């Protein structure tokens, strides 16, 4: 493992109890970053991530919050500030799908996806920003989706929420650029997680035909890019949207 000089930084990773978020949290922990592992429902999974980080000799704790609830986000960030004084790195990873054709899409299916994927990102970024600005260093990384670029049948809500992150990222990057804070979006393609495991064989075959590399990605592929973006080596990259997708967005 190449050390990136991140020792002693503190990170809040939302939706870190499983999947991509857990890989990001653990890879940052490997780099010596202190990790606040956010979860909403999966407390045991979140505890397991913390256990693994502690075994690596890192510092970590779990922090429950539904990121779509502004008050819960405030409480969560207060807890991290109480523990470590500040958040250097925020990874807005928590995300959900609630698929359906638009003609039949309920208000709830639309609203819940926007609330978690988009509002959650806004609430978390706003809550950590004042402190980051004061410290004149920070990294905000939003996890989007290649579906935010390409669209997908049955995912108008999800696609809209992820496409919105691109504009959010660009605007915030401009706002905080002079403060040594970078803001970027990483767009995963299809990554082997519980969500993808739940697809039918027919769906998997169809998706595979869109991926030039011919296979799904691994959670570490996303964590690798996020870890790089948090480092000083990526200090001149901001406002960007980086696809990690086996060529799917080409
Ligand atoms: P998983 O379903 O495996 O994990 C989702 C995580 O988000 C869980 O830790 C879950 O926590 C958390 N979460 C969900 N809702 C909330 C909420 N309201 N508040 C706090 N945490 C919440 O997802 P993936 O790892 O597959 O996806 C992670 C991110 O990557 C998402 O933003 C997703 O859109 C994006 N992505 C994933 C792709 C893939 O192929 N897997 C492709 C493109 C993008 P808990 O279980 O504790 O509730």
């Amino acid at each position: 493992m190449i050390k990136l000089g991140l020792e002693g930084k503190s990170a809040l990773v939302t939706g870190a109890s499983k999947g991509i978020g857990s890989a990001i949290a653990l890879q940052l922990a490997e780099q010596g970053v202190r990790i606040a592992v956010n979860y909403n429902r999966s407390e045991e999974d979140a505890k397991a991530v913390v256990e693994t980080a502690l075994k690596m000799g890192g510092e970590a704790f779990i922090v429950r919050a539904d990121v779509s609830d502004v008050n819960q986000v405030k409480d969560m960030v207060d807890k991290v500030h109480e523990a470590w004084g500040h958040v250097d790195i925020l990874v807005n990873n928590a995300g959900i799908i609630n698929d359906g054709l638009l003609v039949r899409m309920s208000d709830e299916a639309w609203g819940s996806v926007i609330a978690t994927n988009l509002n959650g990102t806004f609430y978390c970024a706003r809550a950590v920003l004042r402190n980051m600005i004061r410290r004149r260093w920070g990294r905000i990384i939003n996890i989007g989706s290649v579906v935010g670029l390409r669209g997908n049948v049955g995912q108008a809500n999800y696609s809209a929420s992820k496409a919105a992150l691109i504009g959010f990222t660009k605007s915030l990057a401009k706002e905080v650029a002079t403060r040594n804070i970078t803001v970027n979006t990483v767009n995963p393609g299809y990554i082997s997680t519980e969500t993808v495991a739940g697809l039918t064989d027919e769906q998997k075959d169809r998706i595979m035909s869109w991926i030039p590399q011919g296979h799904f990605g691994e959670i570490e592929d996303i964590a690798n890019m996020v870890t790089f973006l948090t480092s000083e080596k990526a200090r001149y990259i901001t406002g960007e949207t980086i696809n990690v997708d086996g060529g799917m967005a080409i």
Side-chain angles (χ1 to χ4, degrees), residues 14-21 38-43 65-68 92-96 116-117 143-146 158 162 187-196 219:
T14 69
S17 53
K18 51 174 91 153
I20 292 169
N38 161 254
Y39 70 101
N40 186 27
R41 297 202 182 103
S42 310
E43 185 168 337
D66 175 347
V67 297
S68 69
N92 283 308
N93 165 79
I96 58 167
T116 301
N117 301 3
I143 304 299
S145 168
V146 75
Y158 182 75
K162 296 297 191 179
N187 276 346
Y190 281 84
I191 307 298
S192 301
T193 58
E194 280 177 24
T195 315
V196 169
I219 53 179

Side-chain angles (χ1 to χ4, degrees), residues 6 11 21 26 30 47 185 241:
L6 292 164
L26 290 175
E30 236 182 338
K47 282 182 178 164
T185 289
T241 299

Side-chain angles (χ1 to χ4, degrees), residues 92-151:
N92 283 308
N93 165 79
I96 58 167
I97 53 171
N98 198 338
D99 296 353
L101 295 175
L102 195 83
V103 72
R104 287 196 293 268
M105 187 173 284
S106 66
D107 294 351
E108 203 279 325
W110 177 268
S112 61
V113 169
I114 299 293
T116 301
N117 301 3
L118 181 57
N119 296 357
T121 297
F122 159 56
Y123 296 148
C124 291
R126 186 178 58 179
V128 303
L129 209 55
R130 202 178 295 276
N131 217 321
M132 254 182 203
I133 290 170
R134 207 175 294 131
R135 288 175 55 79
R136 292 186 165 265
W137 198 92
R139 296 285 188 264
I140 298 178
I141 294 149
N142 303 314
I143 304 299
S145 168
V146 75
V147 168
L149 295 178
R150 291 173 45 117

